[in-house]
């Protein structure tokens, strides 16, 4: 069996009852948007093809998606490493089916997180020139989130413990602070941010409204942002490969 709908429903319900999931993938992005976006005195100022509130909303939705993909995929990898594979072998569901359910669950929560932040943004003054920009930003956020799913898988396979999901999520928060996600960076900090994994991902998500322009001045060429995302996707794929090899060695 490649996909189990009952298992998927159980996973959705389990995550909805998980306070950690709700706090980091739903509550935190919304709270940070309200703090730095909707309630800021500069919220209505222009940020290209939208206002600053929309700019912050896109950033926080991307952060929520990255957190959801990372934490849930790392948890799935840890479960397999701790013996869930033997349990799954006793059911009609295959390992590939188990992984697919977990990934679909992570994508669903990413979509829920993005939709929740966007809904709050729409009610609190976030605006863009054209409805299509809302859908474009949301699509870029969800598509780019798969990169962090790779990161989560790698961490979960490499560490194989209950703390893997927490470690992966903390890493995303760290990447966000140093990746020009939560506040506009300048000078040396901005130069460093260009080489962090969250920078290219979030800058691409903002592209429909900023077209690469930075709030602190200057701009990023599209090729540089794509190169950042591609490079880190390859790094995360290598981490996942390392995690797979280490998991096999433990068995």
């Amino acid at each position: 069996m490649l996909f189990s709908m009952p298992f998927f429903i159980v996973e959705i319900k389990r995550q909805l009852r998980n306070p950690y999931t709700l706090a980091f993938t739903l509550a935190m992005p919304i709270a940070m948007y309200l703090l730095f976006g909707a309630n800021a005195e500069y919220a209505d100022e222009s940020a290209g093809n939208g206002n600053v509130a929309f700019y912050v909303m896109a950033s926080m939705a991307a952060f929520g998606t990255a957190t959801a993909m990372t934490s849930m995929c790392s948890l799935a990898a840890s479960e397999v490493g701790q013996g869930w594979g033997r349990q799954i072998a006793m059911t009609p569901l295959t390992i590939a089916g188990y992984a697919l359910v977990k990934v679909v669950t992570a994508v669903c929560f990413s979509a829920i997180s993005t939709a929740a932040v966007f809904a709050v943004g729409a009610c609190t003054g976030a605006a863009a020139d054209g409805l299509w920009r809302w859908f474009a930003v949301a699509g870029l956020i969800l598509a780019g989130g798969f990169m962090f799913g790779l990161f989560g898988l790698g961490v979960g396979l490499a560490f194989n413990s209950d703390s893997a999901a927490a470690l992966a999520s903390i890493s995303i928060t760290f990447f966000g602070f140093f990746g020009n996600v939560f506040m506009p960076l300048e000078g040396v900090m901005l130069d460093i941010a260009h080489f962090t994994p969250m920078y290219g991902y979030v800058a691409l998500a903002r592209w429909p409204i900023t077209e690469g322009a930075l709030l602190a001045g200057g701009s990023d060429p599209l090729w540089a942002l794509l190169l950042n995302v591609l490079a880190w996707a390859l790094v995360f794929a290598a981490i996942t490969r390392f995690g797979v090899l280490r998991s096999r060695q433990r068995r």
Side-chain angles (χ1 to χ4, degrees):
M1 182 184 296
L2 185 59
F3 188 84
S4 171
M5 183 56 69
F7 181 39
F8 171 69
I9 294 172
V10 168
E11 278 297 303
I12 291 290
K13 290 180 178 179
R14 185 164 75 98
Q15 294 302 331
L16 287 173
R17 292 195 297 265
N18 187 337
Y20 174 86
T21 299
L22 296 179
F24 281 88
T25 65
L26 293 178
M28 187 174 176
I30 291 174
M32 296 189 75
Y33 160 70
L34 293 173
L35 178 63
F36 296 115
N39 293 325
E41 58 183 19
Y42 46 77
D44 293 328
E45 294 183 11
S46 175
N49 298 308
N51 59 12
V52 172
F54 190 98
Y55 176 97
V56 176
M57 180 194 74
S59 303
M60 294 306 105
F63 170 75
T65 289
T67 302
M69 292 298 296
T70 299
S71 62
M72 293 187 185
C73 288
S74 64
L75 181 61
S78 296
E79 289 176 351
V80 171
Q82 291 171 358
W84 267 97
R86 291 188 292 273
Q87 298 293 326
I88 295 168
M90 300 171 63
T91 73
L93 188 65
T94 63
I95 292 292
Y98 169 84
L100 181 60
V101 168
K102 290 288 188 175
V103 170
V104 172
T105 302
V107 172
C108 285
F109 264 86
S110 297
I112 291 171
S113 176
T114 298
V117 177
F118 274 42
V120 173
C123 294
T124 54
D129 300 336
L131 182 61
W132 71 269
R133 298 186 194 277
W134 290 74
F135 289 100
V137 170
L140 288 168
I141 288 172
L142 295 177
F146 283 96
M147 174 176 74
F148 294 96
L150 275 176
F151 175 64
L153 285 173
V155 172
L157 290 168
F159 289 92
N160 191 26
S161 67
D162 293 334
S163 62
L167 175 63
S169 296
I170 291 171
S171 299
I172 292 299
T173 303
F174 178 83
F175 293 154
F177 274 109
F178 287 92
N180 201 39
V181 177
F182 300 126
M183 61 189 71
L185 301 177
E186 298 180 359
V188 175
M189 292 301 296
L190 181 58
D191 293 336
I192 295 173
H194 282 82
F195 299 96
T196 62
M198 286 289 284
Y199 186 89
Y201 166 59
V202 176
L204 278 177
R206 297 167 179 156
W207 187 272
I209 57 168
T210 65
E211 297 180 1
L214 299 170
L215 294 183
S219 62
D220 291 315
L222 182 59
W223 67 264
L225 301 179
L226 292 172
L227 180 61
N228 175 282
V229 171
L230 176 60
W232 279 106
L234 292 174
V235 170
F236 293 158
I239 293 174
T240 301
R241 176 61 178 167
F242 168 77
V244 169
L245 293 176
R246 184 171 180 181
S247 178
R248 287 176 179 174
Q249 289 175 355
R250 284 195 293 263
R251 291 197 291 268

